[in-house]
Amino acid sequence: MSLEVGELCYFLCPKRSWTLGYIEKWDGKLGTCKAKDGGDAVAKLKEPDIMIMREELLDENVNDLLHLTLLHDSTILNVLKRRYMQDIIYTNIGAIVVALNPFNFKIPHYMDAKMPDYLVEGDRIEKNLPHSWAVAHNTYWEMMNDQYNQCILVSGESGAGKTEASKIVMKYLAALSCREGTDEQKAAAQGVGTKINKASPPLESFGNAKTSRNDNSSRFGKFMKVKFSMQGFLVGAHITKYLLEKSRIVTASPGERVYHSFYLVLRSGRSCASYSLGDQKEFRSVSAGKTWDNKEFNSEPEFDEVWEAMGAIGMSPEETEGIWGVVGGALHMLNIDFDPDGEGSIVSPKTMPALDHGLAIFKVDAAMAKKELVSTEMDIGGQRITKLLAPVKAIDGRDAWIKALYDCAFGWLVEKCNAMLDRDEGGFWIGLLDIFGFEDFELNSFEQLCINLANETLQ
């Protein structure tokens, strides 16, 4: 490619990615480019870092990026930015839809009032703008025409809007499946959609948390089989959860929170009384990120809403009380400290009240629990040996216990949702995979590595 000084181009800026500008210098190997909007010049650019651009292509706007005259990272970003500034947040790349989070539910051409325009199209969306509805529509008709199960993958960075996109798809599938049929069949399909919506508050309160990028980030992977009858009516759903972020049960990074459930139980007056909970800042786990408040899942009315939703998915008052007891007991147990005691350790006397409260909530034998917290047993040479735990190891054991308990409680909650939702009539299903959010921190945990690897493998 021949580069000339003064030519219009996109160049790779370390701060702004591909930036529109002009070539200021070029010696055949390295060049300097300056942004058209007056930004700083970037020097020592190699030829692959510079993309010559024609003026007439700058205003190009397409619904499918495969139709671009020049397909390059720079032109793709330019089109996505232009469309986003025009409140057009969806763009196709063939069968893939790129969705940019608008942080706005009031964009006219994406309001529910526009849904009928998509529903009346044939088995392929051709007349309307790209949308999550279009993905759901095309996938549904592929399932019906091919008589074969289908899958929709939702992936992206944390805060990109994956969970909301999944809800949009689910809502459309429910509407599409009951367009035809008897009133009874339509009512049954709509009823399944209502049940799925009722399952959201409990799952989000126990499986979502505030991160630095998202106030309601899903910290687990979710695969939902949306089930249809042979005639195409929505009849049920089954949820499988993957890789709950267990480290967030016991601690959070600065500016973030542990799971919403821990703050909700502290907002409820009746729960504070039932589980002997005091001021939230007294509890180590919810104070780890120094962030106690959030826009969502942060008030007593929201706790009451989740409590009621648990009843709606078939949980008895005793079961509801029990699962919140796991949260309340965990708050106390995570306040326990250990002091050195010879080769092992003992529970610090000053945190003994926290231990007593936690064990009372869990209804666990106190003597046995105190022994298990500071020792472990191993089989060596056919003999069972008791090994005392140093304070650091005892803390690890305490955290592992609470992580396992919370993870099991969350898994049980998912199964309660399935008991209400799951129904098999021998038809077909559309798998909806809401995968974990990709993130890249200065210091990434092993769990984040697993999340990022899963994203890259799926894409």
Side-chain angles (χ1 to χ4, degrees):
M1 180 174 62
S2 176
L3 301 179
E4 300 291 340
V5 172
E7 280 190 295
L8 181 68
C9 69
Y10 278 105
F11 64 93
L12 192 56
C13 175
K15 293 182 180 179
R16 300 164 61 185
S17 188
W18 289 96
T19 303
L20 186 64
Y22 297 99
I23 300 174
E24 284 195 333
K25 297 179 182 178
W26 179 250
D27 63 9
K29 292 184 177 180
L30 297 175
T32 300
C33 294
K34 185 174 179 63
K36 186 178 181 181
D37 60 9
D40 295 335
V42 178
K44 297 182 179 180
L45 292 167
K46 297 179 181 179
E47 187 172 321
D49 300 330
I50 302 173
M51 185 67 191
I52 299 300
M53 182 54 51
R54 303 202 308 268
E55 190 79 39
E56 65 269 20
L57 298 183
L58 296 179
D59 295 330
E60 198 167 22
N61 190 348
V62 294
N63 287 328
D64 191 329
L65 295 177
L66 296 182
H67 296 158
L68 282 172
T69 303
L70 180 62
L71 192 59
H72 183 263
D73 288 354
S74 59
T75 55
I76 289 173
L77 291 173
N78 175 53
V79 169
L80 292 176
K81 179 181 178 181
R82 285 171 51 79
R83 290 169 68 84
Y84 186 81
M85 299 309 293
Q86 297 168 7
D87 280 339
I88 303 175
I89 64 170
Y90 296 103
T91 306
N92 291 334
I93 309 178
I96 299 171
V97 174
V98 177
L100 304 180
N101 192 341
F103 301 98
N104 178 8
F105 292 97
K106 302 294 183 181
I107 299 175
H109 43 270
Y110 298 133
M111 300 287 284
D112 284 353
K114 296 290 292 182
M115 189 184 291
D117 294 344
Y118 289 75
L119 292 170
V120 296
E121 286 216 39
D123 56 7
R124 200 82 190 164
I125 295 294
E126 296 176 344
K127 301 176 183 178
N128 287 285
L129 287 170
H131 200 298
S132 295
W133 293 337
V135 175
H137 186 101
N138 296 341
T139 305
Y140 175 85
W141 284 111
E142 285 174 7
M143 176 191 71
M144 294 303 298
N145 292 337
D146 297 343
Q147 296 285 283
Y148 205 77
N149 302 326
Q150 303 291 325
C151 188
I152 298 173
L153 169 63
V154 185
S155 68
E157 290 189 331
S158 179
K162 296 182 299 300
T163 299
E164 288 302 321
S166 297
K167 291 178 181 178
I168 291 169
V169 168
M170 187 62 245
K171 188 173 184 179
Y172 187 89
L173 288 174
L176 181 59
S177 75
C178 61
R179 280 191 64 235
E180 299 177 356
T182 65
D183 290 342
E184 184 179 351
Q185 288 172 320
K186 291 180 180 180
Q190 291 172 344
V192 175
T194 301
K195 289 178 180 179
I196 292 173
N197 289 334
K198 288 179 179 179
S200 289
L203 293 179
E204 290 187 19
S205 64
F206 277 75
N208 290 20
K210 173 182 171 58
T211 67
S212 58
R213 300 183 183 183
N214 187 356
D215 288 337
N216 188 30
S217 175
S218 298
R219 308 313 300 165
F220 67 102
K222 179 173 66 177
F223 180 64
M224 178 185 289
K225 284 185 178 180
V226 185
K227 299 185 176 183
F228 300 87
S229 66
M230 294 296 291
Q231 294 76 34
F233 293 104
L234 179 63
V235 295
H238 182 276
I239 301 168
T240 302
K241 63 101 173 172
Y242 298 100
L243 198 67
L244 180 73
E245 186 183 20
K246 293 183 183 179
S247 61
R248 196 171 290 272
I249 298 167
V250 300
T251 190
S253 300
E256 300 190 346
R257 304 204 313 176
V258 294
Y259 288 104
H260 295 321
S261 57
F262 290 98
Y263 303 89
L264 287 178
V265 78
L266 287 163
R267 301 292 187 270
S268 168
R270 61 179 173 180
S271 292
C272 286
S274 297
Y275 310 131
S276 303
L277 302 173
D279 184 81
Q280 60 184 0
K281 295 185 180 180
E282 296 175 3
F283 296 96
R284 181 177 295 145
S285 57
V286 297
S287 301
K290 303 297 182 185
T291 304
W292 293 273
D293 295 317
N294 191 38
K295 294 178 182 178
E296 301 178 74
F297 295 96
N298 198 53
S299 65
E300 186 163 16
E302 287 170 307
F303 173 88
D304 294 336
E305 179 186 342
V306 175
W307 184 287
E308 291 173 8
M310 287 178 169
I313 65 173
M315 292 173 60
S316 68
E318 292 76 19
E319 289 173 331
T320 303
E321 189 73 45
I323 199 166
W324 284 112
V326 170
V327 179
L331 285 168
H332 286 296
M333 297 300 292
L334 292 171
N335 269 5
I336 298 170
D337 287 325
F338 298 89
D339 293 335
D341 182 42
E343 295 182 359
S345 60
I346 59 171
V347 176
S348 177
K350 65 180 181 181
T351 61
M352 193 61 75
L355 176 62
D356 293 337
H357 287 313
L359 296 180
I361 295 169
F362 291 162
K363 299 179 181 179
V364 174
D365 179 75
M368 180 182 68
K370 291 174 183 177
K371 176 187 174 184
E372 294 296 331
L373 282 168
V374 297
S375 66
T376 187
E377 292 185 345
M378 300 181 294
D379 288 325
I380 300 177
Q383 292 184 323
R384 174 148 292 194
I385 305 298
T386 299
K387 178 179 173 59
L388 300 179
L389 299 177
V392 172
K393 294 293 184 181
I395 289 172
D396 289 342
R398 175 205 66 190
D399 289 352
W401 179 19
I402 298 305
K403 288 177 183 179
L405 183 61
Y406 189 93
D407 185 46
C408 288
F410 184 64
W412 178 86
L413 183 60
V414 170
E415 289 308 312
K416 290 298 292 187
C417 293
N418 285 335
M420 173 189 69
L421 296 171
D422 200 6
R423 184 177 168 191
D424 196 348
E425 292 194 355
F428 305 102
W429 51 262
I430 294 175
L432 188 57
L433 180 59
D434 179 3
I435 196 64
F436 335 87
F438 180 94
E439 291 182 291
D440 183 15
F441 301 109
E442 291 184 12
L443 181 63
N444 292 285
S445 67
F446 176 72
E447 285 176 302
Q448 191 62 49
L449 172 65
C450 293
I451 289 170
N452 293 350
L453 178 61
N455 268 281
E456 292 184 14
T457 302
L458 286 165
Q459 294 182 68

